[in-house]
Amino acid sequence: TLSGTVDFSISTWVNTTASGTIIEQGYVGNTGGYNLGINSSGEPYVHVTSTDQANRWNLLFHADNIPINDGQWHHLSLVRSGTNGFIYIDGQLAGSATAVTVGELNGNNDVVIGANEDPWVGSNGFFSGAIDEIAIYDEALTHLEINLVSNILQYVAGHEGNLPLLVNSSKHLHIGPHPVYLGDNPTQQN
């Protein structure tokens, strides 16, 4: 789990015709967590709450007029860098917001994929669709890195057996059984 005021990024693929929570750490009504999901208009949204009650609702925003609940695969990334939050859809910036302070995350909150653990939501909290290749980073990925992840995963969909892997010790993402490493000076490994 993520804890404190750390920068972070979440990267995943989703395919749905509905709305719901993709991933969360602590439910939205809780403090010190985050929630990445799709709202009733089909737009990706982000909620980040802080352990500080005075600034509890830290970052709340969504990708305006960019619905992704069309039954197609879409790559989503959430990035929190300091007080700034960003949503990327298929490698392109689709929404952003700036908070007054950096919300502190509670590392004791559970991470849940494909469901909202808010006890008031009930069975409506389950994600109806497919989620794949989810990754949580304890740093803010750059736009270039998000594009690299999105493009690599698009390529992998049809070329699993012949994919050369980028290797660097600073960052990594697993594509099925294949680790993909991201960094400033990648080298190729077959």
Side-chain angles (χ1 to χ4, degrees):
T1 62
L2 298 168
S3 183
T5 57
V6 64
D7 288 348
F8 69 93
S9 302
I10 298 171
S11 172
T12 188
W13 284 89
V14 296
N15 182 333
T16 187
T17 58
S19 61
T21 298
I22 298 165
I23 184 172
E24 70 177 9
Q25 178 178 316
Y27 61 88
V28 175
N30 201 348
T31 58
Y34 59 81
N35 181 305
L36 173 63
I38 300 173
N39 67 22
S40 60
S41 298
E43 303 160 336
Y45 69 81
V46 172
H47 296 155
V48 179
T49 60
S50 178
T51 57
D52 174 13
Q53 287 295 319
N55 295 301
R56 180 175 171 199
W57 296 103
N58 191 256
L59 276 173
L60 303 169
F61 65 101
H62 64 278
D64 286 324
N65 300 314
I66 307 175
I68 63 166
N69 61 347
D70 57 5
Q72 302 294 313
W73 282 101
H74 293 279
H75 185 260
L76 286 182
S77 294
L78 155 64
V79 176
R80 179 176 85 170
S81 178
T83 58
N84 299 306
F86 306 94
I87 294 176
Y88 293 86
I89 300 173
D90 298 327
Q92 299 302 310
L93 181 63
S96 64
T98 301
V100 175
T101 63
V102 178
E104 185 170 349
L105 299 174
N106 181 346
N108 293 320
N109 286 338
D110 293 331
V111 173
V112 179
I113 298 172
N116 184 324
E117 70 174 349
D118 187 335
W120 301 105
V121 174
S123 63
N124 294 328
F126 293 105
F127 186 80
S128 177
I131 300 170
D132 198 14
E133 305 299 341
I134 197 159
I136 301 170
Y137 302 88
D138 62 354
E139 61 185 296
L141 294 181
T142 66
H143 190 186
L144 178 65
E145 291 169 330
I146 288 167
N147 273 314
L148 180 60
V149 169
S150 176
N151 290 329
I152 285 174
L153 293 176
Q154 285 177 15
Y155 179 82
V156 167
H159 301 88
E160 290 89 345
N162 300 317
L163 179 66
L165 301 178
L166 300 175
V167 178
N168 184 291
S169 62
S170 65
K171 301 173 191 170
H172 71 277
L173 169 71
H174 289 279
I175 299 178
H178 308 291
V180 172
Y181 297 86
L182 305 174
D184 297 329
N185 188 18
T187 59
Q188 189 174 43
Q189 180 183 35
N190 291 318

